[in-house]
Amino acid sequence: MAVKLRSMRDVVEWRLCAGCGACFAACDRDAVRLVNGVDEGIRPVFDPVCDSCSTCLGICPGVRVDAFAAVGVDAPKEPELGPVLEIWEGYAADPEIRHQGSSGGVLSALAWFSLEHEKMEFALHSGKDPKCPWANRTFQSRTRAEVLARAGSRYAPASPCDGLDAIRKSAGPCVFIGKPCDAAAAIALRKQEAALDRNLGLVLTFFCAGTPSTQGTLAELEHLGVRASEVKSLRYRGQGWPGRFLACFGADGQERSSPYSECWGRLAKFTPLRCRLCPHGLGQIADISCGDAWESYRSDREGEGLSLVLVRTERGREILHRALAGGALALRQVRADAVRAAQGNLLQRQRELFGRLAALRAAGIPTTTYVNFGLRASWAGISLSRKAKSILGTWRRAFVRQWWRRNASNRGRGES
């Protein structure tokens, strides 16, 4: 029988923490601080009082995630894609926003449109830490220049929920942009807090295959022969599609880079267990989720980005349509098959997850509970040989990597 999660410390030590920072935002005792461990990612460290408190468990995406948390179970849905009202493909009409963005710049364009025309106070999202080029910080962007400066993927730990208090205290509605787990936590917390519910004007997320730890970036720099201590600036993607991992270093501003297709393959090896056991990669819990339209990408050349846009709530649809009418976006409607064709890797992970989670639970290892993701139905659709390989591979990794043991190594440790 799997261990029951009784506190947030259990979530962290059983490797189920997503590093979103929501427990930090929710704690009214100042008993939580966040640290960025090189090998693990951003994780909370708790005062002893937390061992007898279970308040945060109700909002933690490491404990439970409901695909219909933002819309209700009667909302229109697509098999494996979750709640969907409309599906679009396209890009930011502003060429500079499109170029800076990781795919088509749609999220950045929506953020800027919401600030400029929806009268939202600021966009809360992650961006490059000016003191450490490969680390992230949570920012409040209020101008087009600030949105642009923080556009593009950041394949390093980020915890934008740690800034939710600023949205609580805002004079008006705000935009929130984060990973799918971040968006799920923010929406769970808004259900408990009237001020947050009132001021979360638009929740945006992006397709996500996992967040590599800091060690992934350091390993990529080493692969390029760049000393981390000499790095002046670093981009993971953007400035064209699909973009490159680009490090600027040294006193004379030398540059070295690697193609996205090669870089991501190396970075992905450093994604934590929680990311590898997630069916939420398409951002089911948000007003709008966006990601790369890989089916339309030609690997023989760099180009300008193209995004798939999944509209999940009425709030999201209203703002998207106003952004279209206002000329902020250039989009065309597409069918669900376009998403399935473009995001086959994420969907394959989702199809195998029911068996993998069952295998871990059978070994007594606690797992996140996923509700309304259709995991059993997805699992039924894969071959018997694939099922066997998935279960046996999960058991092998659990034994070799000792997932059956708590990991208490991050207690009180971290970079920052």
Side-chain angles (χ1 to χ4, degrees), residues 65-362:
V65 183
D66 184 346
F68 284 81
V71 294
V73 295
D74 295 327
K77 59 181 179 295
E78 282 284 344
E80 298 185 313
L81 306 187
V84 176
L85 297 178
E86 297 173 354
I87 303 174
W88 300 78
E89 182 184 78
Y91 49 87
D94 184 315
E96 189 175 13
I97 292 178
R98 184 184 185 187
H99 186 70
Q100 291 291 99
S102 292
S103 51
V106 170
L107 290 182
S108 297
L110 281 170
W112 171 234
F113 177 84
S114 296
L115 297 176
E116 180 73 3
H117 298 284
E118 299 289 316
K119 306 305 178 185
M120 297 198 189
E121 296 292 320
F122 57 81
L124 186 76
H125 59 150
S126 298
K128 180 178 67 176
D129 187 335
K131 297 181 180 179
C132 183
W134 57 84
N136 291 320
R137 273 181 47 197
T138 302
F139 291 92
Q140 300 171 31
S141 291
R142 299 174 183 271
T143 66
R144 181 180 181 276
E146 289 174 340
V147 171
L148 265 176
R150 293 151 191 165
S153 294
R154 297 284 302 172
Y155 295 128
S159 55
C161 288
D162 63 18
L164 285 174
D165 191 51
I167 293 182
R168 282 192 194 104
K169 298 174 180 177
S170 172
C174 305
V175 183
F176 176 88
I177 309 175
K179 305 182 297 297
C181 52
D182 304 329
I187 285 174
L189 190 56
R190 82 183 304 172
K191 293 182 177 182
Q192 298 183 7
E193 300 185 7
L196 190 60
D197 182 44
R198 181 177 61 252
N199 286 341
L200 270 177
L202 183 66
V203 177
L204 303 175
T205 190
F206 41 84
F207 300 170
C208 178
T211 302
S213 68
T214 299
Q215 189 59 50
T217 299
L218 298 179
E220 185 64 15
L221 290 171
E222 183 178 356
H223 174 80
L224 293 175
V226 177
R227 293 181 180 179
S229 60
E230 297 182 353
V231 174
K232 306 300 182 185
S233 67
L234 189 150
R235 288 190 65 92
Y236 290 83
R237 286 185 65 188
Q239 297 184 337
W241 193 45
R244 302 176 70 85
F245 181 97
L246 176 64
C248 178
F249 65 99
D252 54 351
Q254 298 180 61
E255 291 185 351
R256 288 183 188 168
S257 67
S258 55
Y260 168 77
S261 57
E262 298 176 10
C263 166
W264 174 250
R266 291 186 287 267
L267 286 172
K269 297 176 182 178
F270 295 88
T271 55
L273 176 63
R274 170 62 177 76
C275 293
R276 297 172 183 267
L277 298 174
C278 180
H280 193 204
L282 294 178
Q284 285 88 334
I285 308 170
D287 293 311
I288 296 172
S289 62
C290 295
D292 290 285
W294 288 122
E295 185 70 6
S296 301
Y297 167 62
R298 286 181 52 188
S299 60
D300 60 335
R301 63 177 175 83
E302 292 279 327
E304 292 300 324
L306 200 62
S307 294
L308 287 164
V309 184
L310 276 62
V311 181
R312 300 195 177 277
T313 69
E314 287 294 344
R315 183 196 308 251
R317 175 154 59 184
E318 290 170 3
I319 293 177
L320 181 91
H321 281 226
R322 288 197 288 269
L324 276 168
L329 301 173
L331 304 176
R332 67 182 183 95
Q333 284 198 276
V334 296
R335 297 180 181 274
D337 285 346
V339 183
R340 297 188 180 99
Q343 294 293 333
N345 289 339
L346 281 179
L347 289 170
Q348 186 59 36
R349 173 188 290 181
Q350 185 171 324
R351 289 163 189 154
E352 296 178 2
L353 193 56
F354 179 84
R356 296 183 68 193
L357 293 173
L360 291 174
R361 288 193 292 266

